[in-house]
Amino acid sequence: MASVSVPSGDSVPPDSSVPGAVGPSWPSPGSAAGSDAPLVVRVPPSSDASLLEVFRGLGAGPRGLTEAQAEERVARFGANAVPYARDPSWPRRFARSLRDPFTAVLLCLGLVSAAVLAWGTASVILLLVVVSCVLRASGEHRADRSTAALRRLVATTVTVRRRATEDTAPVTREIPVGELVPGDVVRLGPGDLVPADVRLLRSTGLTVHQAALTGESAPVEKEAGADPGDGGAFQDPRYCFQGSSVASGSATAVVTATGGDTRFAAAHRRTGKPAATRFERSVQSVSWILIRFALLTPPLVLMANAALRGRGLETLPFAVAVAVGLTPEMLPVVVTTCLARGAALLARTHGVIVRRLPALHDIGAMDVLCVDKTGTLTQDRPVVHRALDADGHDDPGVLRWAAVAAWWSLQLADLPAPDALDEALLAAADEDTLTSYDGVTAVPFDPARRLATVVVRAPGRFGTHTLITKGAVEAVLERCSLSEDESVRLRDLAAAQAADGLRVLAVAVTERPAGDRPRERGLTFRGLVTLRDDLAPTAAEALAALAARGVTVKVLTGDHPGTAVRACRDLGVPVSGVLTADRLDTLTDPELTALARRTTVFARCAPEHKTRVIRALQAGGHTVGFLGDGVNDLPALRTADVGIAPRDAAGVARENADLVLAGKDLTAIGHAVAAGRHAGGNIATYLRITLSSNLGNVIAMLSAGLLLPFLPMLPAQVLVQNLCFDAAQLAFAHDRPAPAAGRRPSVLDPRELLRFIVGFGALNAVADLVTFGVLAFALRGPGDDEALFHSGWFTENLLAQALVMVLLSLGSPGRGGRRPGPVTWSAAALAAIGLLLPASPAGAALGLSALPGVYYGLLAAVLALYAVGLLAARTRYERHRAPR
């Protein structure tokens, strides 16, 4: 242990400060808050100040601050939080929403409309922009407030030494990290996050991970009494910094900087935004494709109309309106709302906290989950599996002798508690059997001898004692009277049990006269007791549920491969392959990628092996989750697409996880997968229906615009129709997807999405163009009444979009569908607007008029045929997507 002598009191001269120091300042300990006492300042970690100068500069001492001093410093300098990490205000969110690509496109189109004096078109576009930004800013604001409340449930705490008053003794207690102030004396242990920049006072075998600051993958040694060195602030062994974590050892330290004054805050400000997740990249990919189409639409419409119809700039408002119709303005709103609602529901019902909203979609897309064995699949304790005699047959007597030895070893050797193996023996034995013997003497388990021995007296056997020895097979067999062949046979029997993933204890007994000295020689071999890891109570059920959802579980463990295989077999997990670390080290990355896909157990793994396996699975196209709880799991948590940690995990693991579980229970992960697929299913359904409908309408509008002597719809009518559809689409954020959506990963594949959009968009365009023919027949020449044509197509478009919302969001045909939900009611409202608006005064203001009765009959026939085509196309699409 390295230590540094420090002054025993807190009193410092009021004018003592460190020359050249910079940063926040406080009154000295003895001065009142707000007095004119000289200021004291924190010591920069790179200074050569002694520990006494550090305390003087901080206005503190080794006994810790008083509660009054701590409160005054928190009030003056704020909480120990990085300032830039605070959530932005609602107005700032609104302004930031204007930078969204789709919103920027709408603003450009609105400016173009205003430039050609199409004020109606410009006004409706502006309304769409305002509505979209308000909804998005409000949704993000609510989501961040909810997420912040959830994060407080797992807020990291720190052990601090404080005093009630100047004259009282210091008390060690836990406080939230946010309440930490410079001058506090804190304790650090393995797995703790370093809560602020600190100067070490005492340390014992301390090493820290500071990769977040320096990029060093290996832990760095820290020592309170070391020399400063000349490698820069981060290499000074006397200091630890916020953003690092304790790998091993313990320490007591004084806080020198908090919040925005830490080195971590300065370094993090330079790192920029975190890398986009797979989900975010997929949405961005689709978004930019649509934006390109939207920006190309106006010039294409203008050129086509100029070439074929001789129209000029008077067509521009219509072209702008069509481009707006192609833009999914509600995409950011629906995505944020879906993820935020899913995260809040998951926390409220299952105690799972989503620390990063896009991770909810990623866990829904997860198809491989990597876990450790101990504490996840099994509990950290053994249970008795079988008791075998020398021939390998079941023999309860062997367990009886082993349990008696465990009981009297615990009683006579005055042990505080049985070890894990003895506890398993005692739990499996009959209590009456244990107490029917009288203990004489005991030699407890010795790691060097690898066995334990007790001497007991059986009831009614006066003058005779029974010696029972149990322990490692080799150690017990050496003390038995056996031939060489018999000894080899018993070793093979034990080896076979060990190869099956079981722990093996050998048991031997002998009888001696009561007066003889107990000797462990010439024993009679009685048999073997095999033990296995106790399975986690919910593991088998949870694994079966994950498998039903298409999630493959892979075990990454530091244990023996046989033990891991045994646990998998007991839980019903098929083991398709086993790979040990020494074999893994010989593989190239492409070889490991090919092998990892068909391997279930990775044994003897160090942290770097776990990380490499996860990368290999990702290279094979899998979305990978990792469940870890220790400091050594940190690289794997950061590498995985979804890092998962239980609430009682090491602080650094919990802070770097995307999801935090109430306990280390795979059932909770199953609930998170279901919630992620719920949110992902709603987002995917919204994108498919919205974009295919928009594309179909645009194709039909452009085609009709070239065929008709007038515009198929006025710009204001196109924009009002689009506004109604946008409002109806918000229901997707509150809908429950079809049950089939939860049975497979909800991967947002841009190529698959574009194929769907093009296919169903073309079908939608065909229905619109057929309506064009119906209008021509019903009105006996489309040129006779433009208002009737506009009204007819306006009504057909809204009814067709309502039909698409219902048919493409319900369960598979032939399975009974579902009860009406938000999407169904929203579609009904959309259809009502399409039927009632043309004949209303509001419709007249838009240039619409009432339609003849014959049109509705013909339209019903067209929509019925369209519904049949939609169902057929959807059936074919689902059959094509079904896993083979």
Side-chain angles (χ1 to χ4, degrees), residues 79-83 180 195-196 242 257-266 269:
N80 178 31
V82 182
L180 203 64
Q242 186 182 48
T258 60
D261 295 310
T262 62
R263 297 270 180 171
F264 177 77
R269 275 193 288 266

Side-chain angles (χ1 to χ4, degrees), residues 390-480:
D391 295 323
H393 302 138
D394 290 327
D395 183 356
V398 177
L399 175 60
R400 183 183 73 248
W401 288 120
V404 169
W407 171 258
W408 286 110
S409 179
L410 177 66
Q411 302 302 318
L412 298 175
D414 196 24
L415 300 177
D419 64 18
L421 296 182
D422 282 351
E423 190 172 17
L425 295 173
L426 295 175
D430 182 8
E431 185 175 347
D432 292 337
T433 301
L434 300 178
T435 57
S436 63
Y437 292 84
D438 294 327
V440 177
T441 187
V443 180
F445 180 82
D446 182 354
R449 300 189 324 130
R450 297 188 300 157
L451 50 77
T453 296
V454 300
V455 177
V456 298
R457 182 174 58 247
R461 298 292 303 275
F462 297 104
T464 301
H465 291 169
T466 303
L467 182 146
I468 312 169
T469 298
K470 65 176 179 63
V473 175
E474 291 287 342
V476 172
L477 290 178
E478 289 175 358
R479 291 161 171 81
C480 293

Side-chain angles (χ1 to χ4, degrees), residues 307-511:
L308 299 178
R309 290 292 179 180
R311 299 170 185 153
L313 286 178
E314 67 272 12
T315 314
L316 183 58
F318 173 74
V320 169
V322 172
V324 171
L326 185 62
T327 306
E329 302 90 350
M330 296 295 111
L331 176 60
V333 179
V334 172
V335 169
T336 301
T337 305
C338 283
L339 296 178
R341 290 186 74 252
L345 181 64
L346 199 57
R348 186 169 60 252
T349 57
H350 302 294
V352 178
I353 297 171
V354 181
R355 295 175 51 83
R356 183 177 57 86
L357 278 183
L360 185 62
H361 180 278
D362 290 338
I363 198 170
M366 180 181 71
D367 60 341
V368 174
L369 174 63
C370 296
V371 300
D372 195 358
K373 176 185 69 68
T374 304
T376 305
L377 303 182
T378 64
Q379 302 186 74
D380 195 13
R381 64 182 186 188
V383 293
V384 172
H385 181 244
R386 294 176 68 188
L388 307 174
D389 62 15
D391 295 323
H393 302 138
D394 290 327
D395 183 356
V398 177
L399 175 60
R400 183 183 73 248
W401 288 120
V404 169
W407 171 258
W408 286 110
S409 179
L410 177 66
Q411 302 302 318
L412 298 175
D414 196 24
L415 300 177
D419 64 18
L421 296 182
D422 282 351
E423 190 172 17
L425 295 173
L426 295 175
D430 182 8
E431 185 175 347
D432 292 337
T433 301
L434 300 178
T435 57
S436 63
Y437 292 84
D438 294 327
V440 177
T441 187
V443 180
F445 180 82
D446 182 354
R449 300 189 324 130
R450 297 188 300 157
L451 50 77
T453 296
V454 300
V455 177
V456 298
R457 182 174 58 247
R461 298 292 303 275
F462 297 104
T464 301
H465 291 169
T466 303
L467 182 146
I468 312 169
T469 298
K470 65 176 179 63
V473 175
E474 291 287 342
V476 172
L477 290 178
E478 289 175 358
R479 291 161 171 81
C480 293
S481 298
L482 296 169
S483 65
E484 183 64 27
D485 291 343
E486 186 69 5
S487 181
V488 170
R489 185 183 68 81
L490 291 174
R491 286 190 181 92
D492 291 342
L493 176 62
Q497 300 300 315
D500 201 25
L502 299 170
R503 302 185 192 183
V504 184
L505 283 177
V507 181
V509 301
T510 188
E511 291 189 350

Side-chain angles (χ1 to χ4, degrees), residues 801-833:
Q801 288 173 337
L803 191 65
V804 169
M805 288 178 64
V806 172
L807 294 183
L808 294 189
S809 65
L810 287 181
S812 300
R815 297 184 184 178
R818 300 176 300 159
R819 292 183 300 171
V823 170
T824 303
W825 294 117
S826 183
L830 187 65
I833 293 173

